[in-house]
Amino acid sequence: LVLELNQVIVPTYGAVLDQQNLHTPEWADFDDKPDSLFFSDGQRRIDFVLVYEDESKKIAHKRSDRKKQKRKREVYESNLINNGLQLEATRSVLDEKLIFVKVHAPWEVLCTYAEVMHIKLPLQPNDLKTRDSAFNWFSRLFRVDENIIKPEQEFFTAPFQKEHLSNFYIQDKDTFFNPATRSRIVHFILSRVEYAIKNNVKKFGINKLLDTGIYKAAFPLHDSSFRHLSTDPNCPSERYLLYREWAHPKNIFKLQPLDFIRKYYGEKIGIYFAWLGFYTNMLIIAAVVGVGCFLYGCLTKDNCTWSQEVCDPNIGGNIIMCPQCDKVCTYWNLTITCESSKKLCIFDSFGTLVFAVFMGIWVTLFLEFWKRRQAELEYEWDTVEYLEQEEQVRPEYEAQCTHVVMNEITQQEEHVPYTACGKCIRMTFCTSAVFFWILLIIASVIGIIVYRLCVFLVFSSTLSQHISGTEAIRKYLTPQTATSVTASLISFVVIMVLNIIYEKVAILITDFELPRTQTDYENSLTTKMFLFQFVNYYSSCFYIAFFKGKFVGHPGNPVYWLGKYRNEECDPGGCLLELTTQLAIIVGGKSIWNNIQEVLLPWVKNLIGRHCGAARSEKVVPRWEHDYHLQPIGKLGLFYEYLEMVIQFGFVTLFVASFPLAPLLALMNNMLEIRLDAWKLTTQFRRMVPQKAQDIGAWQPIMQGIAILAVATNAMIIAFTSDMIPRLVYYWSFSVPPYGSHSSHTMKGYINSTLSVFNISDFKNASKPFSPWFGNQTTCRQVLNNHSFP
């Protein structure tokens, strides 16, 4: 069904020929009812609010610019009225320059656009009986009290049609369309109404008016304050109930009222919190097993024979290791790595191997059970056929449909924004841009590697000199540790900076690509952003896990990187502990950074806004003005909430073999994340335009890809990064005859067996250390990278 809109369009940016044809909003003074959600007559509900600054009181703009802005705004508002919307303007109580335009959609407009948008509405109450789960009695302990938030009545629904109006369950025209649906319909109109034409190009939609500063804000209203119930007896105070029973920290162990969240914020917000809650619940199992494996490592570390040999002054104390860099590095004693070897015994134990296998099973079960839960929500929330029936074409796509093509299936003409050749050009450009940015990330990773190689030389030559008198510090602050920590911190800063830049680039690329629907747009943007984030966050971890210390050669013939820098070596115990350090810094730093960005900054901004208006706080302020001073939701909506959790999901699954406590930390973070996100939405941000969603979109296949990759990465960590397999081989084969000298299977002698012997006289001049050799020994020891036992 195509609806032709009755609109008055400004033909150019010049003068409007006939100003009398323009309709203007009604004007009304504030009636001193702070919780009112209605026009001044108390009958018409406010479905949306537009805010602009009175052009006659603007100082920063030229007079001609102010007149142009005023003209566009007046034409836009006139076209809104032509489309049946009713507008009422009220001047701000706190700032006389601000004008609030309240928008109301009458019954006829709601019916017309509900049919255009294929919105499903109630036919009759659902009389099908539901069977309670066997665990219903247990889950009731954690649910919200049904006397406080009453369960919603269920209905059979169908796409709305005006000609079948009598078939729908209409008891009251004022409540047949709930506030979320009304806001959706009004936003649909606001996004498509035109206000000007320049060079035969239509200018339309509230988004462009916001971008150009003609309007300062556009948002639906919260229904009450989150601190107290509304004074209006007809208001259900759903925002207050959501804050008290969902967002408040006291509810951290309660189940979320998902149906109520969906009713107030829409399906898109509801499905996010449903997924986050399900993911958090599944992490409980992984966290318990992970803690068990960690405790196993703690309990068995004192029996770690190879670590005892490293720390034994009669064994490790007599092993002199070869320098790890050319010239400036000196010989070093194996006992320096005593403390790191003890820590490694905790994380590189048999329990870690068991946990890696368990997580491979867990991630599969998580995805399959979520598919089942998602299907249940699709049925309960009536979104099974949403993409086919209800989703509309984006207005930006509609505006560019200037080409006519023949549909090969229907044999009908269709309007499209570009030809097949134009589409290929756009896709080629977009793909090239994405790969360019991915290569830029790889270049930054290479830069970090070069930093590690350069700084290791400095730390190796200077660190021991400056801390030689402090043995306690020297045990922990080795050149390897100092290099790893500083490189991880720099890597984290680079990640955050590139994130900020690439967000803007990805939006520009996706806008140029011009996806047809909002779902297509979000999926395309999600894929681009995640490819970038994947390389950005995980590249350094992949380097440490699978490349560092694998291609170093031997002291007489080291391997050089870029022909200049000698490749890094791992500690004798391997790179697993360094990988754990890298994960802890990135995951911990990312969580702190995200919380500052998402929670602290909006709170501080709102606090400053309240402080600035404290002098005028004695005035009674209407609901729309309270909401205006809240923070706006960004254009990407929930994208960064999803991204944060999926990146965390990657750390929990991809490298869990190096850090069994990752699921526990993720569980603790997510329990807070749910309430922080809820608190943020209900208290710090304006109400989002409710949106439909069938599922979590492109994040589902992304998680499936991560799950497949996680099996491979954990297997390779156990095989190549961990010393688990070499130790098992030594224990069962090389500790006893014919290869070993022990009478029974043991780990004694493992360290000595994994260190090759190098004659110091074979050093080349380019790599021979400056420091003189001490003692009468003529050899030094080197880690065998291929783990071939003598």
Side-chain angles (χ1 to χ4, degrees), residues 403-408 410-416:
H403 299 277
V404 179
V405 297
M406 184 66 70
N407 189 310
E408 296 180 357
T410 62
Q411 294 300 312
Q412 294 180 351
E413 290 185 348
E414 292 183 352
H415 292 270
V416 295

Side-chain angles (χ1 to χ4, degrees), residues 11-204:
T12 66
Y13 281 16
V16 179
L17 298 178
D18 188 2
Q19 293 282 354
Q20 294 182 354
N21 291 331
L22 297 180
H23 302 283
T24 58
E26 307 167 17
W27 278 86
D29 294 328
F30 174 48
D31 55 7
D32 291 330
K33 296 179 180 178
D35 290 332
S36 176
L37 303 177
F38 295 88
F39 279 16
S40 57
D41 59 12
Q43 300 295 320
R44 292 173 291 176
R45 183 183 180 88
I46 301 171
D47 299 317
F48 227 87
V49 175
L50 308 178
V51 187
Y52 69 90
E53 189 174 348
D54 192 344
E55 292 85 2
S56 63
K57 298 186 179 183
K58 285 185 178 180
I59 301 175
H61 296 79
K62 295 180 181 179
R63 183 177 180 182
S64 58
D65 292 337
R66 294 200 300 266
K67 292 181 69 174
K68 288 179 181 179
Q69 289 189 346
K70 182 177 181 180
R71 190 176 305 119
K72 294 176 189 176
R73 179 184 55 76
E74 288 175 343
V75 170
Y76 182 72
E77 291 174 356
S78 177
N79 284 332
L80 291 178
I81 295 173
N82 287 340
N83 280 278
L85 296 180
Q86 297 175 4
L87 309 183
E88 183 180 82
T90 301
R91 194 170 291 275
S92 169
V93 174
L94 300 178
D95 186 352
E96 290 186 354
K97 292 186 294 183
L98 292 180
I99 308 294
F100 292 87
V101 179
K102 295 160 284 183
V103 183
H104 169 75
W107 171 258
E108 284 299 323
V109 173
L110 293 172
C111 291
T112 300
Y113 280 91
E115 186 170 1
V116 171
M117 297 170 67
H118 307 286
I119 295 177
K120 291 184 176 180
L121 292 167
L123 286 173
Q124 64 180 32
N126 186 348
D127 55 357
L128 296 177
K129 294 182 179 180
T130 57
R131 186 173 59 181
D132 291 335
S133 168
F135 299 97
N136 193 47
W137 63 271
F138 180 74
S139 63
R140 191 180 292 115
L141 300 175
F142 301 95
R143 288 181 191 167
V144 177
D145 188 350
E146 293 184 356
N147 293 321
I148 299 174
I149 298 181
K150 298 180 180 179
E152 291 294 313
Q153 184 178 5
E154 295 185 1
F155 292 91
F156 294 112
T157 63
F160 185 79
Q161 291 182 335
K162 289 176 69 175
E163 61 184 16
H164 299 140
L165 188 63
S166 59
N167 295 331
F168 287 88
Y169 190 77
I170 305 175
Q171 290 188 320
D172 184 352
K173 288 185 178 182
D174 291 334
T175 59
F176 179 63
F177 294 96
N178 63 35
T181 304
R182 298 176 69 99
S183 298
R184 273 183 63 204
I185 292 174
V186 172
H187 184 260
F188 179 87
I189 301 172
L190 295 176
S191 300
R192 285 161 173 78
V193 167
E194 301 169 6
Y195 59 86
I197 293 179
K198 184 178 181 181
N199 299 327
N200 293 324
V201 177
K202 295 178 180 179
K203 303 292 182 180
F204 65 92

